[in-house]
C-alpha cells in the first residue's frame, strides 16, 4: 500500500475514509469501462470509407463515367468495401467472395430487392414481383422455379432444337453475318416458343415482338430514377403493356376453354395456384410473370451466346469443343436433347468462362433495412448503416486476381476438375448468375439454350470471326458486345469420331 500511495494521485485515495474510497473506485471503474467500450464500439461502428467526390453531383459524375470505371479506380485506394454518394443515395459496394456473403445470404427483412428494383413495376405491370409483398413474391418465385424444373426443361429443349435447326436453314452455303443480331433473333423466337407459348410463336409473333420492343425501349437509364416520367418512351411502354395484357388474356381464355395443355411456361403459370389462398393467378399476373421472365432471360442469354462464339472463334479453345461434339456424336448421332446436352462439359465451361468475363448484369443491388457489420480484405471492420443501397458487381468481382489466375484472359479450363478456380475462395467467387437467396432460376434454361445453338452451329458450319474482337458496351442496361460481331460461315457437316 505504501508503494502504491507514492504514485501520483493514489495517496489521495488512500488517505480518504472507506465510504468515499469505495465511491471513487466505483466511479472510476465505470469510467474506464465506458472509455474501453466507447473505443471498442467506435471501431465496430466505423462506417466504410467514402469515395471523394464534389458535393451534390460529384457521385453522379463518377457513376455516369461508368460504374466499373469507378470501381477500378476506387478499389485500390479504398479497398473492397466503400461507399459512394449518388444524389441523395449512399451506395455501399461489397466486392469479393467474403465481403458479399451477407449480400447474397441476408434475409429479406435485412436486405431487400423491392426498393431498388421498383423501376421494373411499370414494365412488368401491377400485382407481380416487385409490386407485391415479400410473401406473395415468394409464391410467385415458386411458380417461376416450378416452370423451370428439369421435367419442363426437357420439353423446352425440344423447342430450342427445333427453332435452331429451322433458323439456320435460312443461311446460305457460305456468307457473312452479324452474329449478334442473328442470335438475338433466334433467342427471341426460342424464348417466345418456350415461355410465351405456341399461339404467340405461330400466329402473333411479329405483333408481340413489336410490343416487347416498346417495353424494352421504355427501360432507359432515366427510368431507374424516374420510372413514371411522362416521356414518349414511357408512354409507348405503358400502351404496349396494356396491349400485351389483352393478347394474353385472350390466349389464356382460349386455352382454358379448350382444355388443351401445352409444354410452355404460360401453361405452368395457368396451372399455378397460390398456396396461401388457393387461388389461380389472374390473367394480368400471368402476363406480368411472362414479361418478367422474358426480361430476365432474353438479352442475358443472347449476349452470352454471342460472347461465347466470339471467344471460341477467336482463340485456341475451339479445338476441344469440336472434339467434344465429335465424341458426343459418335455415341448419339446428330440427335440433341436435354440429356445429350447435359454431357457437354467442355462447351459448358466455354460458356461459363464467357459469362465470367462478360456478365450482362454488371451491378446487383439491395436495400439495407438494418445496420450490419462487414470486414474488408485488409481486415478492417465496418458498419454499413440502415438506409444504404448495397451493391455488388459481377463484372468486377469475377475478375479479382486473387480469385482467378490471369483474370482478364479467356481460359475455360480454369473451371476444369483439378483447377476449379471458382471454388477456392468461397461460394460467391463466380456471381454472373448472382447466388444465395436470389440466385438465377433460369441458369439451366440459359445453358441448355446456348448449348443447343452452338452445338448446332459447330456441327453444321465452319465459322470464323472477322476482326476486330468486340468491345464491351458499358452504356447498355444489359451489358453486351458493342456494335456488330461479324462472322464468316461455310456450311459443312462435322464428322463424328470413329468409335474406338
Ligand atoms: C445467361 C443468362 C442469364 C444470366 C446471366 C442471368 C443472371 C441473373 C442474375 C445475376 C440474377 C440475380 C439478380 C440479383 O441478385 O439481383 C438473376 C435472377 C433471376 N433470373 Fe436470371 N439470368 C439469366 C437467364 C435467365 C433466364 C433464361 C431466366 C428465365 C427464363 C431467368 C430468370 C431469373 C429469375 C426468375 C431470377 C430471380 C431470382 C430471385 O430473385 O429469386 N434468368 N439472373
Amino acid at each position: 500500500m505504501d508503494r502504491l500511495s507514492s504514485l501520483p494521485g493514489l495517496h489521495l485515495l488512500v488517505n480518504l475514509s472507506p465510504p468515499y474510497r469505495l465511491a471513487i473506485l466505483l466511479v472510476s471503474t465505470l469510467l474506464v469501462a465506458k472509455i474501453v467500450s466507447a473505443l471498442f464500439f467506435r471501431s465496430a461502428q466505423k462506417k466504410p470509407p467514402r469515395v471523394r467526390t464534389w458535393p451534390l453531383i460529384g457521385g453522379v459524375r463518377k457513376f455516369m463515367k461508368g460504374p466499373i470505371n469507378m470501381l477500378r479506380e476506387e478499389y485500390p485506394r479504398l479497398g473492397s468495401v466503400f461507399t459512394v454518394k449518388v444524389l441523395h443515395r449512399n451506395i455501399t459496394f461489397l466486392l469479393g467472395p467474403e465481403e458479399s456473403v451477407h449480400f447474397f445470404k441476408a434475409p429479406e427483412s435485412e436486405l431487400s430487392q423491392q426498393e431498388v428494383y421498383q423501376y421494373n413495376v411499370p414494365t412488368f405491370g401491377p400485382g407481380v414481383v416487385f409490386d407485391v409483398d415479400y410473401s406473395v413474391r415468394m409464391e410467385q418465385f415458386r411458380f417461376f422455379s416450378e416452370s423451370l424444373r428439369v421435367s419442363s426443361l426437357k420439353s423446352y429443349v425440344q423447342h430450342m432444337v427445333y427453332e435452331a435447326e429451322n433458323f439456320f436453314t435460312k443461311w446460305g452455303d457460305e456468307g457473312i453475318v452479324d452474329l449478334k443480331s442473328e442470335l438475338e433473333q433466334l433467342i427471341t423466337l426460342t424464348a417466345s416458343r418456350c415461355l410465351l407459348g405456341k399461339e404467340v410463336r405461330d400466329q402473333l409473333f411479329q405483333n408481340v415482338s413489336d410490343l416487347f420492343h416498346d417495353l424494352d425501349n421504355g427501360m432507359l437509364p432515366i427510368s431507374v430514377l424516374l420510372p413514371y416520367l411522362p416521356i414518349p418512351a414511357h408512354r409507348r411502354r405503358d400502351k404496349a403493356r396494356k396491349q400485351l395484357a389483352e393478347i394474353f388474356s385472350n390466349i389464356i381464355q382460349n386455352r382454358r376453354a379448350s382444355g388443351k395443355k401445352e409444354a410452355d411456361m404460360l401453361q405452368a403459370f395457368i396451372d399455378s395456384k397460390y398456396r396461401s389462398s388457393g387461388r389461380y393467378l389472374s390473367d394480368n399476373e400471368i402476363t406480368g410473370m411472362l414479361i418478367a421472365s422474358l426480361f430476365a432471360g432474353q438479352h442475358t442469354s443472347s449476349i452470352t451466346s454471342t460472347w461465347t462464339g466470339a471467344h471460341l472463334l477467336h482463340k485456341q479453345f475451339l479445338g476441344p469443343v469440336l472434339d467434344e461434339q465429335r465424341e458426343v456424336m459418335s455415341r448419339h448421332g446428330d440427335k440433341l436433347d436435354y440429356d445429350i446436352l447435359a454431357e457437354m462439359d467442355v462447351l459448358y465451361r466455354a460458356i461459363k468462362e464467357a459469362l465470367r468475363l462478360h456478365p450482362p448484369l454488371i451491378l446487383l443491388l439491395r436495400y439495407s433495412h438494418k445496420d450490419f457489420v462487414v470486414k474488408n480484405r485488409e481486415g478492417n471492420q465496418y458498419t454499413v448503416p440502415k438506409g444504404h443501397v448495397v451493391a455488388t458487381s459481377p463484372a468486377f468481382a469475377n475478375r479479382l486476381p486473387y480469385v482467378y489466375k490471369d483474370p482478364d484472359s479467356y481460359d475455360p479450363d480454369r473451371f476444369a476438375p483439378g483447377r476449379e478456380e471458382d471454388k477456392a475462395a468461397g461460394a460467391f467467387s463466380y456471381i454472373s448468375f448472382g447466388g444465395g437467396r436470389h440466385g438465377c432460376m433460369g441458369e439451366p434454361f440459359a445453358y441448355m439454350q446456348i448449348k443447343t445453338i452452338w452445338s448446332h452451329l459447330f456441327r453444321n458450319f465452319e465459322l470464323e470471326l472477322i476482326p476486330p474482337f468486340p468491345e464491351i458496351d458499358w452504356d447498355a442496361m444489359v451489358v453486351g458486345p458493342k456494335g456488330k460481331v461479324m462472322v464468316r460461315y461455310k456450311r459443312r457437316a462435322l464428322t463424328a469420331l470413329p468409335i474406338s
Side-chain angles (χ1 to χ4, degrees):
M1 185 62 85
D2 277 341
R3 230 159 18 107
L4 273 182
S5 65
S6 69
L7 289 174
L10 267 187
H11 71 279
L12 213 102
L13 193 63
V14 192
N15 292 335
L16 284 174
S17 62
Y20 284 114
R21 223 187 290 165
L22 195 70
I24 286 183
L25 265 173
L26 211 71
V27 169
S28 49
T29 310
L30 282 173
L31 209 71
V32 170
K34 205 159 164 69
I35 290 168
V36 169
S37 93
L39 278 176
F40 173 77
F41 212 63
R42 201 158 47 143
S43 75
Q45 289 263 305
K46 208 161 79 174
K47 292 196 183 146
R50 285 186 165 267
V51 172
R52 258 181 284 143
T53 58
W54 293 98
L56 289 176
I57 54 142
V60 181
R61 270 193 56 215
K62 284 228 172 210
F63 225 72
M64 288 302 167
K65 265 173 51 193
I68 303 302
N69 271 340
M70 185 197 69
L71 299 183
R72 283 186 191 142
E73 266 173 34
E74 303 299 338
Y75 185 91
R77 232 165 40 84
L78 302 176
S80 52
V81 176
F82 58 84
T83 301
V84 60
K85 188 154 190 166
V86 179
L87 295 175
H88 61 297
R89 282 270 182 238
N90 284 304
I91 307 180
T92 295
F93 282 91
L94 310 177
L95 302 166
E98 285 299 321
E99 294 80 343
S100 57
V101 168
H102 188 66
F103 181 96
F104 289 115
K105 285 189 160 177
E108 194 75 7
S109 56
E110 294 183 22
L111 285 184
S112 68
Q113 293 181 313
Q114 189 159 13
E115 295 78 359
V116 287
Y117 295 153
Q118 262 307 301
Y119 63 89
N120 289 298
V121 169
T123 310
F124 298 173
V128 289
V129 191
F130 301 116
D131 188 47
V132 290
D133 285 352
Y134 184 57
S135 58
V136 180
R137 187 153 69 253
M138 284 315 286
E139 291 224 57
Q140 295 181 346
F141 280 167
R142 178 170 57 78
F143 304 149
F144 277 124
S145 91
E146 284 171 4
S147 73
L148 291 164
R149 63 182 161 209
V150 173
S151 56
S152 311
L153 271 184
K154 288 194 171 184
S155 32
Y156 297 162
V157 169
Q158 291 171 12
H159 301 320
M160 292 170 186
V161 173
Y162 171 81
E163 292 294 347
E165 285 173 358
N166 193 37
F167 185 83
F168 292 113
T169 53
K170 82 177 169 86
W171 284 15
D173 284 341
E174 53 189 296
I176 292 176
V177 286
D178 174 10
L179 185 70
K180 184 170 110 177
S181 140
E182 294 293 300
L183 297 186
E184 257 166 29
Q185 290 172 44
L186 170 55
I187 285 205
T188 310
L189 290 164
T190 314
S192 161
R193 180 64 190 88
C194 298
L195 310 179
L196 309 183
K198 191 172 165 36
E199 299 84 341
V200 169
R201 174 65 186 89
D202 292 349
Q203 294 143 36
L204 296 160
F205 180 71
Q206 202 49 54
N207 194 359
V208 169
S209 300
D210 292 346
L211 294 173
F212 268 104
H213 197 65
D214 285 348
L215 283 188
D216 231 358
N217 290 343
M219 183 81 85
L220 304 164
I222 185 75
S223 322
V224 176
L225 292 173
L226 301 164
Y228 298 97
L229 192 70
I231 53 174
H234 287 169
R235 275 197 284 271
R236 278 194 295 276
R237 169 198 71 194
D238 297 342
K239 197 168 155 213
R241 176 63 182 77
K242 276 202 190 108
Q243 286 177 290
L244 282 169
E246 282 163 25
I247 291 176
F248 279 107
S249 196
N250 279 331
I251 298 174
I252 294 163
Q253 277 163 31
N254 287 339
R255 273 205 195 177
R256 284 198 173 120
S258 75
K260 257 185 80 185
K261 303 251 183 213
E262 295 289 341
D264 51 42
M265 187 180 254
L266 168 62
Q267 189 68 51
F269 291 160
I270 291 177
D271 295 338
S272 296
K273 261 189 202 176
Y274 288 99
R275 278 195 191 129
S276 48
S277 60
R279 122 177 132 72
Y280 285 104
L281 272 81
S282 70
D283 295 358
N284 211 9
E285 285 169 330
I286 295 176
T287 308
M289 300 270 292
L290 289 173
I291 294 173
S293 27
L294 226 74
F295 266 74
Q298 192 172 318
H299 291 314
T300 47
S301 300
S302 85
I303 283 168
T304 308
S305 310
T306 304
W307 282 123
T308 302
H311 278 290
L312 282 177
L313 302 179
H314 178 64
K315 283 270 167 73
Q316 75 271 30
F317 291 97
L318 183 57
V321 171
L322 294 183
D323 286 346
E324 181 182 61
Q325 289 296 323
R326 288 195 189 97
E327 193 279 322
V328 171
M329 286 167 76
S330 64
R331 286 182 291 113
H332 301 287
D334 282 349
K335 193 174 167 211
L336 284 176
D337 65 18
Y338 177 90
D339 294 313
I340 295 170
L341 290 165
E343 288 179 19
M344 298 175 184
D345 291 338
V346 180
L347 183 53
Y348 167 79
R349 293 197 287 269
I351 300 167
K352 182 169 177 174
E353 176 67 341
L355 200 44
R356 179 186 70 82
L357 288 171
H358 306 291
L361 305 182
I362 60 168
L363 287 183
L364 309 180
L365 305 173
R366 303 287 185 264
Y367 182 80
S368 155
H369 292 273
K370 219 176 181 181
D371 294 4
F372 65 93
V373 176
V374 61
K375 214 191 238 181
N376 73 359
R377 227 174 108 64
E378 293 70 39
N380 300 315
Q381 199 157 286
Y382 301 115
T383 297
V384 181
K386 169 182 170 178
H388 275 209
V389 169
V390 183
T392 192
S393 167
F396 188 83
N398 278 357
R399 293 188 186 219
L400 286 168
Y402 66 90
V403 179
Y404 295 105
K405 186 170 166 273
D406 297 331
D408 296 330
S409 68
Y410 180 77
D411 177 6
D413 290 343
R414 65 172 83 247
F415 302 119
R419 280 181 68 186
E420 294 174 316
E421 292 177 9
D422 56 326
K423 304 240 162 72
F428 302 112
S429 300
Y430 181 93
I431 55 169
S432 296
F433 288 105
R437 273 177 191 271
H438 294 289
C440 178
M441 292 178 181
E443 179 176 344
F445 182 101
Y447 272 111
M448 283 292 150
Q449 189 168 20
I450 301 166
K451 278 177 160 181
T452 302
I453 292 172
W454 281 106
S455 299
H456 181 85
L457 279 172
F458 289 139
R459 289 173 180 203
N460 294 286
F461 296 93
E462 209 175 285
L463 298 143
E464 184 195 331
L465 182 75
I466 301 175
F469 189 82
E471 286 175 25
I472 302 173
D473 181 5
W474 291 113
D475 295 334
M477 291 283 281
V478 183
V479 171
K482 196 178 204 164
K484 296 183 175 176
V485 180
M486 301 310 288
V487 161
R488 186 173 288 117
Y489 69 83
K490 199 170 178 185
R491 222 170 254 282
R492 66 108 164 80
L494 191 71
T495 41
L497 284 179
I499 301 169
S500 52

